C-alpha cells in the first residue's frame, strides 16, 4: 500500500491496477497503519474508502476553542458527536473511480493524513487475507504450530489475532498449496486418464458406487488402483517371488485406507497401491485380484507374501492364492505377545524359535518357552510355525526375512502425504 499510495499525491492520477489488487492494498494499509477503514462505495465503477477511527474529545473542539467557550456548534458537528464524548472525523479518505467503458481507474480524492487513534482490532484482518500473508511460511513448514504463526503475525502487524482465525488462515493456505479435497475428487477421472496416456503400461482402475439415476453426471468415489508399468517390468525381470503387503490410514476430512504391495528386500520399491474405503475382506480381495491379474498370479502359483496380518487379509489370501506361502512379521507378533508376557526372556525365546533353521532346534526352543510359561507356549503354538519360523519355511522365495521392513520403510516416507488430497 505504501508503494501504491506514494503514487497518489495528485488528483487524476491514473491507476492500471485491478480493483481486487487495489482492495488488497487497502486492507494491507488498514492493518499496517492499525486504522479501521470502511468501504462507503464499492461497485464496478467507484471505490470510496473512509477512516472510521476515533478522535477523543478532550474538551477541545476542532476550531481550537474549549467546549465551554464554544457552546454553540453547527448541525454538522452535532451529528459527529457520539454518546461516549468522542468525535468520528478522521480526514483520511480515498476515492477511486472510472468511466463505464474505460479500463483505467482514476484517483479523484485522496487525503493521506490520519488524526485518529490506532487500534489492535482491525476488521480487514480476516482469515482470507491472513492466509495470503502466511502462504510462503506454511509452504516451507506445513507443521508450524498455530502459536508460532499467531506470534509472527502479531509481531509483524502489531494487531491481535484469535487462535481460531489463525487456524482458519492456515487451513486456507494449505488448501491453496495442496489443493482442495473435494475439488481433486471431482477431477480424479481426468488425472487417471492422463496417467494412462503418459505410459500405456500403467494399469489404472477406478471403481465408483452405483448410482440409481444413470443420467447423473457425478458418481461417488469408492476405490482406485495403480500398478506402475516400469516397476511391473522390473519385478518380472528380478524373478523374486516375494511381496510385502501393508495398509495405512488416510488422514483429512475423507477417511480411507492405502493398500500397498512392495517388492524386493534390497531396494524396497512400491509396485502397486490402492486407495479404498476401509480395510476389510472385500477391499483386500479387490486389490489382490487386480494385483494377480497384473503380475500373472494364479490360484496355484507358488508365491510368497509377508504381511502384518491386517484385517481381512488372511481370508482374502486363502481364497485367491491357497497354495501361496504367507509369512507373518515377527515384530508385530512380538507386539501382540507383549500384551500379556513382557520381558527380555520372552522376547529372546520368541526370536530363538523364529531363527531356528531345523525342526529339532525349533522343538528344543519351544520346550524352553514351555518351561518358562505354559500359557505363552500355547499362545505361540496356536500360530502355525510355517508362517513365522525359518525352520518351516519352504525356501521358494530364496529369502529368510522375518520382518516386513520393506513396507515399514515405505510407510515412513509417505506418512506426510497421507493427510493430503487424493491426487496430491
Amino acid at each position: 500500500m505504501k508503494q501504491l499510495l506514494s503514487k497518489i499525491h495528485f488528483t487524476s492520477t491514473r491507476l492500471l491496477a485491478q480493483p481486487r489488487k487495489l482492495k488488497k492494498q487497502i486492507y494491507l494499509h488498514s492493518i499496517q497503519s492499525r486504522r479501521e477503514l470502511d468501504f462507503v462505495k464499492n461497485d464496478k465503477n467507484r471505490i470510496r474508502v473512509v477512516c472510521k477511527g476515533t478522535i477523543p474529545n478532550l474538551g477541545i473542539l476542532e476550531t481550537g476553542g474549549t467546549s465551554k467557550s464554544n457552546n454553540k456548534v453547527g448541525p454538522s458537528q452535532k451529528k459527529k458527536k457520539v454518546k461516549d464524548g468522542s468525535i468520528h472525523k478522521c480526514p483520511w479518505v480515498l476515492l477511486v473511480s472510472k468511466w463505464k467503458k474505460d479500463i483505467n481507474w482514476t484517483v479523484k480524492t485522496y487525503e493521506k493524513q490520519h488524526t485518529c487513534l490506532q487500534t489492535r482490532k482491525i476488521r480487514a484482518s480476516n482469515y482470507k487475507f491472513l492466509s495470503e500473508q502466511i502462504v510462503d511460511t506454511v509452504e516451507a513448514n506445513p507443521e508450524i504450530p498455530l502459536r508460532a504463526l499467531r506470534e509472527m503475525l502479531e509481531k509483524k502487524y502489531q494487531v491481535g489475532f484469535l487462535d481460531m482465525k489463525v487456524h482458519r488462515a492456515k487451513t486456507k493456505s494449505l488448501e491453496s498449496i495442496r489443493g482442495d479435497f473435494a475439488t481433486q475428487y471431482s477431477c480424479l477421472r481426468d488425472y487417471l486418464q492422463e496417467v494412462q496416456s503418459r505410459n500405456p503400461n500403467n494399469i489404472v482402475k477406478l471403481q465408483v458406487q452405483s448410482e440409481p439415476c444413470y443420467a447423473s453426471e457425478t458418481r461417488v468415489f469408492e476405490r482406485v488402483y495403480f500398478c506402475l508399468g516400469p516397476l511391473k517390468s522390473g519385478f518380472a525381470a528380478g524373478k523374486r517371488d516375494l511381496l510385502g503387503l501393508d495398509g495405512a490410514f488416510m488422514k483429512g476430512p475423507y477417511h480411507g485406507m492405502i493398500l500397498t504391495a512392495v517388492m524386493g528386500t534390497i531396494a524396497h520399491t512400491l509396485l502397486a497401491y490402492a486407495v479404498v474405503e476401509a480395510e476389510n475382506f472385500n477391499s483386500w480381495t479387490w486389490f489382490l485380484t487386480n494385483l494377480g491379474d497384473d503380475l500373472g498370479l494364479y490360484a496355484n502359483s507358488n508365491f510368497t507374501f509377508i504381511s502384518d496380518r491386517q484385517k481381512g487379509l488372511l481370508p482374502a489370501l486363502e481364497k485367491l492364492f491357497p497354495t501361496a506361502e504367507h509369512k507373518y512379521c515377527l515384530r508385530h507378533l512380538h507386539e501382540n505377545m507383549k500384551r500379556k508376557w513382557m520381558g527380555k526372556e520372552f522376547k529372546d525365546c520368541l526370536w530363538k524359535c523364529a531363527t531356528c533353521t531345523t525342526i529339532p532346534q525349533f522343538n528344543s526352543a519351544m520346550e524352553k518357552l514351555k518351561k518358562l510359561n505354559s500359557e505363552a507356549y500355547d499362545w505361540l503354538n496356536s500360530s502355525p510355525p510355517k508362517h513365522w519360523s525359518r525352520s518351516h519355511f519352504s525356501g521358494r522365495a530364496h529369502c529368510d526375512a522375518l520382518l516386513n521392513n520393506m513396507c515399514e520403510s515405505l510407510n515412513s516416507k509417505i506418512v506426510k502425504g497421507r493427510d493430503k488430497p487424493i491426487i496430491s
Side-chain angles (χ1 to χ4, degrees), residues 205-414:
K205 297 181 181 180
L206 176 65
Q207 180 174 324
V208 297
Q209 297 182 5
S210 59
E211 177 64 35
C213 181
Y214 293 98
S216 177
E217 297 180 357
T218 60
R219 294 292 186 271
V220 178
F221 169 83
E222 188 173 7
R223 299 166 182 166
V224 63
Y225 168 83
F226 291 88
C227 185
L228 305 181
L231 300 180
K232 182 176 65 173
S233 302
F235 176 78
K239 297 181 179 180
R240 172 162 289 184
D241 297 339
L242 176 65
L243 277 180
L245 303 176
D246 198 8
F249 288 97
M250 289 185 63
K251 303 177 183 178
Y254 303 105
H255 300 288
M257 294 293 299
I258 304 176
L259 308 183
T260 56
V262 183
M263 64 178 181
T265 57
I266 299 177
H268 305 330
T269 307
L270 179 64
L271 177 61
Y273 62 97
V275 178
V276 298
E277 72 283 1
E279 191 176 31
N280 50 39
F281 172 75
N282 293 331
S283 61
W284 273 115
T285 302
W286 181 78
F287 176 69
L288 293 175
T289 301
N290 295 328
L291 184 64
D293 295 340
D294 296 336
L295 302 183
L297 302 180
Y298 306 99
N300 58 350
S301 298
N302 293 328
F303 205 79
T304 303
F305 298 96
I306 182 170
S307 71
D308 302 335
R309 295 188 294 178
Q310 284 79 10
K311 184 179 180 181
L313 177 58
L314 298 183
L317 284 175
E318 293 177 359
K319 176 184 177 181
L320 299 176
F321 309 108
T323 62
E325 184 178 9
H326 186 197
K327 297 181 180 181
Y328 299 161
C329 179
L330 195 64
R331 186 177 69 85
H332 287 77
L333 193 66
H334 178 245
E335 292 293 332
N336 296 332
M337 186 178 187
K338 286 197 306 182
R339 297 177 181 177
K340 291 186 178 180
W341 304 282
M342 299 180 62
K344 188 175 182 301
E345 294 181 347
F346 291 101
K347 180 180 179 180
D348 293 341
C349 289
L350 175 63
W351 275 93
K352 181 63 177 178
C353 296
T355 54
C356 291
T357 55
T358 62
I359 295 181
Q361 293 178 354
F362 172 79
N363 294 331
S364 176
M366 289 292 291
E367 287 297 327
K368 292 182 180 180
L369 178 61
K370 186 176 182 180
K371 293 180 180 179
L372 180 63
N373 190 297
S374 59
E375 295 181 358
Y377 169 82
D378 296 335
W379 175 84
L380 185 60
N381 199 30
S382 61
S383 299
K386 65 177 181 179
H387 297 304
W388 55 272
S389 179
R390 290 174 179 171
S391 59
H392 292 73
F393 288 168
S394 63
R396 66 179 66 164
H398 303 284
C399 177
D400 58 355
L402 299 173
L403 302 176
N404 194 12
N405 286 336
M406 59 182 74
C407 292
E408 297 298 335
S409 61
L410 174 67
N411 289 337
S412 64
K413 299 299 181 182
I414 67 174

Side-chain angles (χ1 to χ4, degrees), residues 105-133:
W105 289 71
T106 305
V107 177
K108 298 297 183 63
T109 305
Y110 176 56
E111 177 61 44
K112 64 178 182 179
Q113 182 180 3
H114 283 282
T115 60
C116 59
L117 296 177
Q118 292 181 330
T119 179
R120 290 181 60 87
K121 295 182 180 180
I122 306 298
R123 187 172 55 182
S125 60
N126 52 36
Y127 77 95
K128 293 182 180 179
F129 177 81
L130 294 179
S131 64
E132 299 176 358
Q133 309 304 315

